[in-house]
Amino acid sequence: MTTQKMSIRGVGPAAVAGLSFATGTYLLLRSKGRRDAAHSAETAGPADTAGLADTAGAGGSAGAAGSAGTPGATGTTGSAGTTGTIGTAGTAEHERRAAERERAALAVQRRNAALTEQHRLHFDLLCKAMGDASLAAVLNTYEEDVSPERQRQFLFANALYINALHAHRIDAMTLQELHGHLRVMCQNQIFRQYWDATRHHRASLDRSSDEAKVGRMMDRLVQELDSAETDEWWVVGEPPTG
């Protein structure tokens, strides 16, 4: 026992010193480790923050891209929708105009059919009057006495003139063509007498009617032919421009 106590007392100061040194070293190392860890944390902090910022930025950019892409897609769809609407509107307008042209063409056809029927009836009446003097007397509205023979001639002259007028009214003959046709008819003296004998008939027409307009053109042509100083009658008179 005495030996053990002496050994403990003999070793104690050294052990205590060693223990103190070890403890100090441990504490120093631990303190240094903490400082290093803190330094590492401080150093790593900005990088991590930057990484988070990059991550957030990438996410935000992706989100922005996604948001931007959505309106873009919507815009594309909208453009396609607008184009489709314009295309539909254009088709509807084309169909409307086509329908209008068809209605106008049908109206012209009906008008020409009515004019042709009226012309046929008029010619039938003239033929009956030319073949029956008692019927021709009904059409005798001249201001001078006209023999039955001359009246039949006048009725035939009227049939020729009305036939040319009818061709113009249904667009089978232009106004310029009608002018040249009437210039040929004016070379016949019986026709010229008929035209002079019926001047009061034309005065009763509506001035805006086709027959009245052609009648005035004919009157000018007769005057030009009468005052012409050339035997080349086929060049006399200015063809109408309208």
Side-chain angles (χ1 to χ4, degrees), residues 113-127 166:
L115 288 173
T116 299
E117 179 62 17
Q118 188 271 337
H119 174 68
R120 185 186 67 79
L121 293 174
H122 176 77
F123 185 74
D124 288 346
L125 292 173
L126 288 179
C127 288
H166 172 69

Side-chain angles (χ1 to χ4, degrees), residues 117-158:
E117 179 62 17
Q118 188 271 337
H119 174 68
R120 185 186 67 79
L121 293 174
H122 176 77
F123 185 74
D124 288 346
L125 292 173
L126 288 179
C127 288
K128 291 180 178 181
M130 284 185 286
D132 190 335
S134 63
L135 297 179
V138 179
L139 297 178
N140 189 347
T141 57
Y142 309 107
E143 294 187 346
E144 58 188 32
D145 292 335
V146 177
S147 66
E149 181 182 1
R150 181 54 55 90
Q151 185 177 11
R152 284 194 298 271
Q153 291 173 338
F154 282 0
L155 292 176
F156 186 74
N158 177 260

Side-chain angles (χ1 to χ4, degrees), residues 3-146:
T3 302
Q4 290 179 345
K5 289 182 180 178
M6 288 297 293
S7 297
I8 294 172
R9 282 196 299 266
V11 178
V16 171
L19 181 59
S20 298
F21 177 78
T23 302
T25 302
Y26 171 75
L27 292 175
L28 178 63
L29 292 175
R30 183 177 180 183
S31 176
K32 185 177 182 302
R34 288 179 178 178
R35 287 196 301 269
D36 292 342
H39 177 72
S40 298
E42 291 176 358
T43 305
D48 293 340
T49 304
L52 291 174
D54 292 342
T55 303
S61 300
S67 300
T70 301
T74 303
T76 302
T77 304
S79 299
T82 302
T83 303
T85 302
I86 293 174
T88 303
T91 302
E93 179 65 15
H94 176 75
E95 291 177 351
R96 185 186 65 80
R97 292 183 178 180
E100 288 182 353
R101 288 193 296 268
E102 184 177 356
R103 286 194 296 270
L106 289 175
V108 171
Q109 291 178 2
R110 288 193 294 268
R111 173 182 177 274
N112 289 346
L115 288 173
T116 299
E117 179 62 17
Q118 188 271 337
H119 174 68
R120 185 186 67 79
L121 293 174
H122 176 77
F123 185 74
D124 288 346
L125 292 173
L126 288 179
C127 288
K128 291 180 178 181
M130 284 185 286
D132 190 335
S134 63
L135 297 179
V138 179
L139 297 178
N140 189 347
T141 57
Y142 309 107
E143 294 187 346
E144 58 188 32
D145 292 335
V146 177

